Amino acid sequence: MSFKRVAVFYNLHKAYNQPIAQQAVDFLRTQNVQATLCTSLDNLDGIELVVSMGGDGTMLRCARECAPKQIPVFGINCGTLGFLAAAEKEELAAALQTLLAGQCVSHKRLLLQATIQTPKESQTFTAFNDVVLHSSNMRAFFINASFNGTKMPAYFGDGVIVATPTGSTAYSLAAGGPIVEPNVEVMVVTPICPHSLHQRPIVLPANGTLLLRPSFKNKEDGSILSLDGQMHLPLEENAMLELSRAPHTVQLLTLPQRGFFSVLHKKLSWGKEEC
């Protein structure tokens, strides 16, 4: 896979990543690649690859924008954890050389589609990691749920996390959810601080439809929908949330040696080294 037009993206609010992003652009240009440094993903016409220079938050932004356009994403970790990245910033030149040599591994990851339905309108959004429905005032509330038309027991607590396999190692994991290998096409529903000893995470097939409807005892209470921890949308009274697999996937390119289990061990200290 060869790339002639590449966008190197970094977060404008994290200007300290600009010098290394410029290094990436300069290196790509020495390899006869038409590389552009950018801080916006609004116009990707003609772009064949996006190099994400930042942490996991920057990768999430790139994934959501690039997935509908079928543009691959290659991440260089300039942040703290960098779970989604293809390489670390210290490996910049070698990683880009491996990329241009066509030696990277391609992974297609599913995204979630979240539709907010109200009596007046419906709005649709996309999330790569997770969709979180939580209280707006830190008070426990009920969430009525159904999957593929079948009623589920209601949740009662601080909210629920609905995660993709990719997002299973993020907020969902911290809340007690399972680790899911990224190629397993499911969505994970993890309760947040449930007021019950019996409510546990559940894994559902990604090709189904999950409906969630918040319910409150007091009129002044409300809920908020958070997408990838980056977009926060207050829900109107009587709003319903419909969650399903997004119609598109995102293509992530990674170095051959950076497999899921090795990253899980290195970044999250999962397991022990062999004796």
Side-chain angles (χ1 to χ4, degrees):
M1 184 181 293
S2 61
F3 302 102
K4 295 300 181 183
R5 295 193 61 193
V6 175
V8 178
F9 174 81
Y10 75 97
N11 187 342
L12 184 61
H13 299 292
K14 297 183 178 180
Y16 48 80
N17 286 330
Q18 190 274 339
I20 192 167
Q22 185 63 56
Q23 288 180 35
V25 170
D26 294 342
F27 178 85
L28 289 169
R29 288 175 178 171
T30 65
Q31 305 299 307
N32 298 317
V33 175
Q34 186 178 342
T36 304
L37 186 65
C38 63
T39 57
S40 172
L41 296 167
D42 291 339
N43 184 9
L44 295 175
D45 292 345
I47 295 297
E48 299 170 348
L49 172 74
V50 168
V51 177
S52 172
M53 304 293 300
D56 287 327
T58 305
M59 281 289 290
L60 292 173
R61 284 184 62 185
C62 290
R64 291 196 305 270
E65 294 296 329
C66 292
K69 304 176 180 67
Q70 298 183 325
I71 300 174
V73 179
F74 185 77
I76 301 293
N77 178 37
C78 306
T80 304
L81 185 61
F83 195 89
L84 299 175
E88 303 300 315
K89 61 183 178 181
E90 295 79 11
E91 308 170 284
L92 178 63
L96 291 176
Q97 191 65 61
T98 300
L99 171 72
L100 297 178
Q103 297 173 350
C104 283
V105 180
S106 174
H107 300 280
K108 289 188 176 181
R109 304 284 185 90
L110 68 84
L111 293 87
L112 288 175
Q113 179 172 280
T115 301
I116 302 172
Q117 299 179 354
T118 68
K120 296 179 182 179
E121 62 177 353
S122 66
Q123 295 176 288
T124 298
F125 304 90
T126 302
F128 184 34
N129 253 3
D130 49 41
V131 174
V132 181
L133 181 59
H134 58 97
S135 172
S136 60
N137 57 6
M138 301 302 292
R139 182 180 293 175
F141 67 109
F142 285 97
I143 300 176
N144 298 308
S146 67
F147 183 71
N148 286 346
T150 300
K151 185 178 179 180
M152 301 168 62
Y155 292 95
F156 182 63
D158 290 357
V160 296
I161 305 161
V162 183
T164 64
T166 301
S168 71
T169 52
Y171 188 15
S172 176
L173 178 63
I179 295 172
V180 180
E181 203 278 337
N183 291 312
V184 181
E185 299 190 343
V186 297
M187 49 184 168
V188 179
V189 184
T190 305
I192 305 172
C193 300
H195 285 221
S196 168
L197 295 176
H198 305 291
Q199 287 189 322
R200 292 291 183 266
I202 187 170
V203 179
L204 301 173
N207 59 357
T209 300
L210 176 67
L211 296 180
L212 301 175
R213 187 190 297 272
S215 177
F216 302 93
K217 294 181 178 179
N218 303 307
K219 289 186 177 180
E220 64 270 19
D221 291 342
S223 59
I224 295 175
L225 179 67
S226 295
L227 302 149
D228 285 340
Q230 296 179 335
M231 295 178 283
H232 309 283
L233 309 169
L235 296 187
E236 296 181 12
E237 186 179 359
N238 298 321
M240 182 174 65
L241 178 63
E242 179 181 296
L243 296 165
S244 59
R245 178 179 181 161
H248 40 257
T249 58
V250 62
Q251 183 182 1
L252 301 185
L253 300 177
T254 61
L255 300 181
Q257 66 271 25
R258 200 175 172 103
F260 175 70
F261 297 111
S262 63
V263 173
L264 199 61
H265 172 70
K266 182 178 180 180
K267 299 290 185 177
L268 297 181
S269 302
W270 178 74
K272 295 183 179 180
E273 296 286 1
E274 292 182 2
C275 298

